[in-house]
Amino acid sequence: MWRCCRLPLADLCKLSYDKWINISNGCEVAISETASASGDPRLVKPADLYDRDAEWVDLTRFVTAQDPGALLGIMYGRRRQGKTLLLELLAEACDGFLFMGLQQSRVQNLADLAAAYSRKTGLAGASFGSWHDAIDALLRLGQAPGLPVPVILDEFGYLTDSAPELPSVIQRLLSPRGAARQRSSARLILCGSALSLMKDLVSAGSPLRGRSRLELMIHPFGYRASAGFWGADQDPYLAFRIHALVGGTPAYLDMCGKAPARSRDFDRWVIETLLNPSSAMFREGDILVREEQQVSDPALYHAVLATLAGGAGRRSEIASRLGRTDASLTHVLAMLEQIKLVARLDDALRDRRPVYRIAEPIIRFHQLVVRRNEARLVARAGDRVWAEAADTVNSLIYGPHLEELARVWCAEHASQQTLGGIASKVQPATLSCAEHQQGHELDIVVTESNPMRADRIVAIGEVKSTTSSMGPAQLARLEHIRQLIPAQKAPGVVRLILVSRSGFQTELTSLMRSRDDVVLVDMQRLYGGD
């Protein structure tokens, strides 16, 4: 059923919360009070929402929470991850209110919000003189009897650009003794794409710190979900190559216009989409850097990213290649890490020896293939550029990417029985070797943490993305490295994991049958097994 009100808007906006809730006649403010007798239908994920199961559960749990009083949720993520789609579907399912901020003045955003408010409530001519009045009115939408209602402000960063007081306004209106926390059931969700800004909303010292119930970050699809999204879940070799170049950002499928249907279509697809100067994907790697407001010197950021993509991983290596001091890169690396373009991996066996890596595949592809060949690609030499880049792609894109997927497989998909323990941490490592007078690099070190005892290494691994299959030589190398691990770090049997893009030699697979400390992971197992 519907409940409505005939009061003029000016009087309505001045009503106290007590009076608002007691309105029961008239026909201008429409508020849904319907609910399913067999359970809340809002908890069912829409059929047209791919993956995002956990995110949908978190959002609907927050929106349908029966706690008294208005609640605040923060949602953020890089652009093109599908945040707006999630929120639109949530608003539709829960009969909520959604407003998207624009890059315009405070007056314009307030006017647009008032128009959206009028459409939602059925009250013509709404206007807000300040953001305090606007947020107060939005929180009143949750004052009506019935189910809690989501009130969503998308692109919140655009709103705060012209109204920096907004977080403080929301803090005041959501104070513990305030009317909204006492009598409203609004579920206010603030969503934005500027990661640094959105994280600052709930950082120490922020007005909204301690006010939010939900802090949800929307990440790109994982590599297995991406395979299905691109229609390559039956071909792990194709799925891997797609993910190595464009990652798991949902919007990239639309921006590409199509996906390669078969492995033999892959090269042509790359040339026609990723290397085509007319494609929306062509400059995506550059745009991802420039669209973050906190990036003040794009040239320096691109230089750091190019060095990382070229194989430098430690800060000292990056600084040396750029002719700069280590200290001068501290802020740049921290910002790239904050906006999720770069990830820092700690060494499993050495303190304060982090390795930095490109976290967004399209950035790596842009730096290694597009950026350095942009003039030729604009001249439509995509075929030649792609052919000439084969060695670079295999060694600097496919190789590091398979290493990362192997670590993700250990952390998220491999069973405890496979690893010989729980994968609390999965990291790379370097071990010194007196015999060979050099350090041995490990792609995978699986560590089990237990509060009752010291951490222990349960597995180590090597990853190869070459076109040749793995053989006994790689196993022998791992066996040698296993002997170098300090005894206190590995009190039990340490499993040996071999991950290969091109499979394994018969001699190695035969040897494995007599051993239970060796794990072989091919592409089929990486994408579908544990």
Side-chain angles (χ1 to χ4, degrees):
M1 61 179 293
W2 299 87
R3 307 190 73 181
C4 308
C5 173
R6 289 179 181 163
L7 291 176
L9 176 62
D11 294 336
L12 187 62
C13 291
K14 295 177 182 178
L15 286 176
S16 70
Y17 277 82
D18 291 329
K19 293 180 180 178
W20 179 282
I21 197 170
N22 288 325
I23 293 174
S24 60
N25 56 13
C27 196
E28 290 191 21
V29 178
I31 303 169
S32 174
E33 294 182 334
T34 60
S36 171
S38 59
D40 193 340
R42 308 189 296 181
L43 299 179
V44 179
K45 191 184 81 168
D48 52 350
L49 180 62
Y50 179 81
D51 196 51
R52 303 301 189 200
D53 296 339
E55 292 87 344
W56 183 257
V57 168
D58 289 341
L59 283 170
T60 54
R61 182 184 292 124
F62 168 73
V63 168
T64 60
Q66 294 302 305
D67 305 51
L71 300 178
L72 174 66
I74 308 292
M75 179 171 143
Y76 56 96
R78 283 208 326 266
R79 296 192 187 283
R80 297 174 281 287
Q81 302 306 322
K83 302 184 300 299
T84 298
L85 174 62
L86 260 171
L87 295 175
E88 287 176 345
L89 292 172
L90 181 71
E92 291 174 8
C94 301
D95 193 26
F97 175 86
L98 185 149
F99 174 75
M100 179 181 292
L102 298 178
Q103 289 181 300
Q104 57 186 10
S105 70
R106 172 203 307 255
V107 172
Q108 290 171 312
N109 272 319
L110 280 173
D112 288 349
L113 177 61
Y117 179 82
S118 292
R119 290 192 297 271
K120 176 63 179 176
T121 62
L123 285 167
S127 64
F128 301 124
S130 68
W131 275 107
H132 183 281
D133 294 341
I135 300 299
D136 183 53
L138 294 181
L139 291 174
R140 290 174 183 269
L141 293 175
Q143 185 61 45
L147 298 171
V149 58
V151 176
I152 302 164
L153 296 179
D154 196 6
E155 294 295 359
F156 188 70
Y158 291 159
L159 301 179
T160 58
D161 283 346
S162 60
E165 76 277 10
L166 248 178
S168 295
V169 168
I170 295 171
Q171 176 198 29
R172 174 180 292 181
L173 290 170
L174 291 179
S175 63
R177 299 295 296 169
R181 289 301 303 273
Q182 295 295 311
R183 302 179 184 89
S184 174
S185 63
R187 303 296 180 246
L188 179 62
I189 299 176
L190 312 179
C191 180
S193 302
L195 296 189
S196 53
L197 182 149
M198 296 305 295
K199 288 182 177 180
D200 285 347
L201 286 180
V202 291
S203 64
S206 168
L208 295 180
R209 183 63 190 168
R211 291 284 195 264
S212 61
R213 168 73 63 86
L214 175 76
E215 296 176 16
L216 175 62
M217 182 170 184
I218 306 300
H219 296 274
F221 291 143
Y223 74 94
R224 287 188 172 182
S226 292
F229 188 71
W230 285 81
D233 47 328
Q234 300 303 311
D235 187 346
Y237 298 95
L238 175 61
F240 167 74
R241 286 185 291 169
I242 294 173
H243 195 266
L245 299 192
V246 300
T249 295
Y252 289 169
L253 179 55
D254 282 341
M255 291 171 66
C256 286
K258 62 179 180 179
R262 296 152 297 191
S263 287
R264 65 173 179 263
D265 301 325
F266 178 75
D267 291 335
R268 178 50 49 188
W269 172 78
V270 172
I271 294 166
E272 292 178 351
T273 57
L274 306 185
L275 300 181
N276 183 348
S278 300
S279 168
M281 292 295 295
F282 185 68
R283 292 182 174 82
E284 177 66 6
D286 181 57
I287 292 171
L288 282 179
V289 177
R290 295 179 180 274
E291 70 185 4
E292 177 58 47
Q293 297 177 355
Q294 299 300 318
V295 174
S296 57
D297 186 355
L300 175 58
Y301 281 79
H302 276 297
V304 171
L305 290 170
T307 305
L308 282 167
R314 302 195 184 280
R315 188 165 69 176
S316 59
E317 295 174 332
I318 302 168
S320 177
R321 293 193 188 186
L322 294 179
R324 303 177 70 97
T325 63
D326 285 14
S328 69
L329 298 181
T330 300
H331 174 74
V332 176
L333 289 170
M335 180 56 63
L336 287 171
E337 188 178 357
Q338 184 178 33
I339 62 178
K340 301 300 180 181
L341 298 185
V342 165
R344 184 180 65 179
L345 295 175
D346 292 322
D347 191 294
L349 297 170
R350 298 184 181 185
D351 293 334
R352 299 179 181 178
R353 292 278 292 174
V355 175
Y356 293 90
R357 65 169 184 83
I358 300 289
E360 173 52 57
I362 194 66
I363 289 286
R364 184 167 48 208
F365 178 77
H366 182 81
Q367 294 294 338
L368 291 173
V369 182
V370 177
R371 190 174 177 85
R372 62 184 60 184
N373 294 291
E374 184 168 352
R376 297 174 65 205
L377 292 171
V378 169
R380 305 289 176 167
D383 296 69
R384 293 195 299 275
V385 168
W386 183 238
E388 294 163 3
D391 290 342
T392 296
V393 172
N394 281 321
S395 61
L396 295 179
I397 294 182
Y398 292 158
H401 195 69
L402 187 60
E403 291 172 13
E404 177 58 23
L405 295 197
R407 286 189 286 266
V408 173
W409 181 81
C410 290
E412 299 181 5
H413 303 296
S415 67
Q416 184 175 343
Q417 291 71 28
T418 293
L419 300 176
I422 298 173
S424 304
K425 293 180 290 185
V426 184
Q427 302 162 302
T430 301
L431 289 88
S432 299
C433 178
E435 178 182 344
H436 295 97
Q437 297 294 307
Q438 66 177 15
H440 291 302
E441 293 186 354
L442 278 172
D443 302 318
I444 298 170
V445 177
V446 181
T447 304
E448 179 181 85
S449 299
N450 190 308
M452 305 300 294
R453 59 175 183 265
D455 292 357
R456 70 183 184 100
I457 294 174
V458 298
I460 61 175
E462 181 171 0
V463 181
K464 290 296 182 185
S465 182
T466 59
T467 55
S468 58
S469 57
M470 268 184 159
Q474 283 78 30
L475 178 59
R477 177 180 181 273
L478 272 186
E479 289 176 321
H480 170 67
I481 295 175
R482 180 166 61 180
Q483 296 173 355
L484 302 177
I485 299 174
Q488 67 271 22
K489 295 281 189 180
V493 175
V494 175
R495 301 281 175 92
L496 306 177
I497 303 172
L498 295 171
V499 182
S500 174
R501 180 180 162 209
S502 301
F504 305 95
Q505 297 174 12
T506 303
E507 186 178 356
L508 181 57
T509 55
S510 299
L511 180 64
M512 179 192 166
R513 297 190 184 100
S514 61
R515 301 182 57 168
D516 58 6
D517 65 330
V518 179
V519 179
L520 303 184
V521 183
D522 58 13
M523 298 301 287
Q524 284 78 12
R525 188 172 187 181
L526 184 73
Y527 271 83
D530 60 2

